[in-house]
Amino acid sequence: MFDKKLDYEMSVLDCRQIQISHTLQQWKLPAELLYYNVCVSTDVMFEHLFEKQLKTWMFDAACYKVSELALLDVKYEELPYTGYQDIAPALKLTAGGHSSAFLWVVCGQVPYVKPTDFADLTALHSLWVQDWHAGKHAEHPSGYYIKDLYPVYDGLITEEEMRQLCDYPIELPEAKELLLLHRPTGTVSEQQKNIIAERHASWMSDYRDERVMYHTILDYVDGRRTSPFESLAELYDCCAHAFKFVAGSRHLYSFYLEHTGQDASSISMLRELAKKARTLKNTFFLASHNEKLNIDMVKRVCTEMLELERSWCRWPQQA
């Protein structure tokens, strides 16, 4: 399940949220509980991607906010810094694996990042620090054990490399804040689980989705409505990202329902919906390069997805 989730997580969560999710999984905590509100309305997706035409990486998933870590009894600290010396003692608390640290760094400055890993090497990337290793001689210098999920990396960077990363100026000074998570000694209490269940019930009662995105995409590909984009390639690329969001959010939400013992039918519908969304994501990504689109197939799958969206939303669910 650990690897199976990753592709769907990368479809809707940012790198920091994914790293936190996997930290909780490694600590044997029920990370799925924080997916209780990951199933974003397609109306919100449509506004972000088509109406405002914002970058996909600017999409702010509602789940896995740092403040919600307390729901799993995870204590954390947020430590502003200007350079490495300000946070070196906190970073070294990761020794022994009892804490994990996260900090935003510039992609192109990360030692293991290749020029082809990111489209924009000046963008920020979350660095996941799992352990501190105090070197005893020059052949084995002191360093930090880093785990990265994209690009995949599992190994050390030296203390000097960490110093350079922390000291390097970034465009958003407010992003210079270390997040330090402390591994809890016990399990999640029933009281906390009940609080999450109540939040899920509240979220479900407020959930609204007119599914305008599906109808509008069908109109675009059928020529019944003029696209707001300058080219077919741009339109198809935007559609691909829209269905990527659908796939990730629906599939991850199904893990919350599964973990909390919800009815199997709603879980099955959400996973079938995610599977069809991935099909359309791949179809539109290919079409964004060759501008050839199987319109009949898109219309058929979109129609099937619409029915699934209506069905899972109608399904009575417990808190």
Side-chain angles (χ1 to χ4, degrees):
M1 187 180 293
F2 194 86
D3 290 333
K4 184 178 180 181
K5 286 181 185 174
L6 180 57
D7 190 49
Y8 285 102
E9 287 174 326
M10 291 178 70
S11 295
V12 70
L13 304 181
D14 67 27
C15 52
R16 168 69 58 82
Q17 292 168 321
I18 296 169
Q19 290 167 356
I20 292 174
S21 169
H22 283 246
T23 296
L24 300 180
Q25 291 175 60
Q26 286 187 350
W27 289 350
K28 308 301 181 186
L29 293 171
E32 297 86 358
L33 289 178
L34 295 188
Y35 290 139
Y36 76 89
N37 60 349
V38 71
C39 197
V40 184
S41 163
T42 59
D43 294 346
V44 174
M45 299 177 194
F46 182 75
E47 179 184 26
H48 183 94
L49 293 171
F50 292 89
E51 293 182 345
K52 295 182 179 179
Q53 295 185 24
L54 298 175
K55 300 292 186 182
T56 56
W57 52 265
M58 294 175 65
F59 188 75
D60 187 19
C63 72
Y64 267 89
K65 300 300 183 188
V66 172
S67 60
E68 294 206 314
L69 290 171
L71 293 172
L72 299 184
D73 294 318
V74 175
K75 292 182 170 56
Y76 65 90
E77 300 174 64
E78 294 174 294
L79 307 170
Y81 68 95
T82 56
Y84 175 71
Q85 287 304 121
D86 298 335
I87 54 171
L91 282 170
K92 291 173 184 177
L93 290 177
T94 58
H98 300 297
S99 298
S100 276
F102 307 86
L103 60 157
W104 293 106
V105 296
V106 176
C107 291
Q109 299 301 310
V110 180
Y112 55 82
V113 166
K114 299 175 183 176
T116 54
D117 285 335
F118 296 97
D120 183 3
L121 291 175
T122 65
L124 297 183
H125 180 59
S126 181
L127 195 70
W128 177 8
V129 184
Q130 289 195 321
D131 206 344
W132 157 252
H133 170 74
K136 293 186 169 66
H137 47 78
E139 291 184 7
H140 296 90
S142 297
Y144 293 93
Y145 179 73
I146 306 296
K147 185 173 181 65
D148 209 332
L149 302 167
Y150 185 84
V152 176
Y153 182 76
D154 216 339
L156 287 171
I157 65 171
T158 67
E159 185 173 22
E160 183 55 34
E161 289 170 331
M162 179 65 81
R163 184 188 308 278
Q164 292 173 14
L165 283 171
C166 294
D167 292 349
Y168 193 84
I170 57 179
E171 291 185 10
L172 298 171
E174 62 271 23
K176 282 212 164 192
E177 186 174 75
L178 177 73
L179 174 63
L180 186 65
L181 306 190
H182 301 291
R183 183 173 186 167
T185 54
T187 57
V188 179
S189 68
E190 288 302 314
Q191 180 183 4
Q192 295 304 103
K193 290 179 182 179
N194 290 336
I195 292 172
I196 295 172
E198 290 169 4
R199 292 198 183 186
H200 174 244
S202 175
W203 172 81
M204 276 301 299
S205 67
D206 293 337
Y207 187 85
R208 299 290 182 274
D209 196 343
E210 300 297 325
R211 295 173 282 277
V212 172
M213 187 175 79
Y214 289 101
H215 298 292
T216 307
I217 287 176
L218 285 171
D219 285 348
Y220 287 155
V221 300
D222 220 15
R224 294 192 298 268
R225 187 181 302 200
T226 303
S227 161
F229 298 96
E230 293 183 2
S231 67
L232 277 178
E234 289 180 276
L235 170 63
Y236 293 162
D237 183 68
C238 187
C239 291
H241 282 97
F243 288 115
K244 180 183 76 170
F245 285 164
V246 172
S249 61
R250 273 59 182 160
H251 200 78
L252 293 182
Y253 182 53
S254 78
F255 282 116
Y256 171 81
L257 297 183
E258 184 177 57
H259 187 85
T260 52
Q262 306 288 337
D263 190 276
S265 296
S266 51
I267 296 168
S268 176
M269 283 188 281
L270 285 161
R271 290 180 180 172
E272 183 63 21
L273 181 56
K275 182 179 177 181
K276 292 180 183 297
R278 288 191 72 182
T279 297
L280 288 188
K281 178 202 76 171
N282 294 334
T283 298
F284 275 107
F285 266 132
L286 181 61
S288 70
H289 295 288
N290 60 23
E291 297 192 3
K292 295 177 182 179
L293 186 69
N294 186 335
I295 295 176
D296 289 338
M297 186 274 279
V298 169
K299 289 164 66 175
R300 174 178 57 79
V301 177
C302 245
T303 302
E304 293 168 352
M305 289 178 66
L306 265 169
E307 185 52 41
L308 285 167
E309 289 276 18
R310 295 188 186 102
S311 296
W312 84 258
C313 283
R314 284 198 302 262
W315 200 267
Q317 296 180 32
Q318 307 161 13

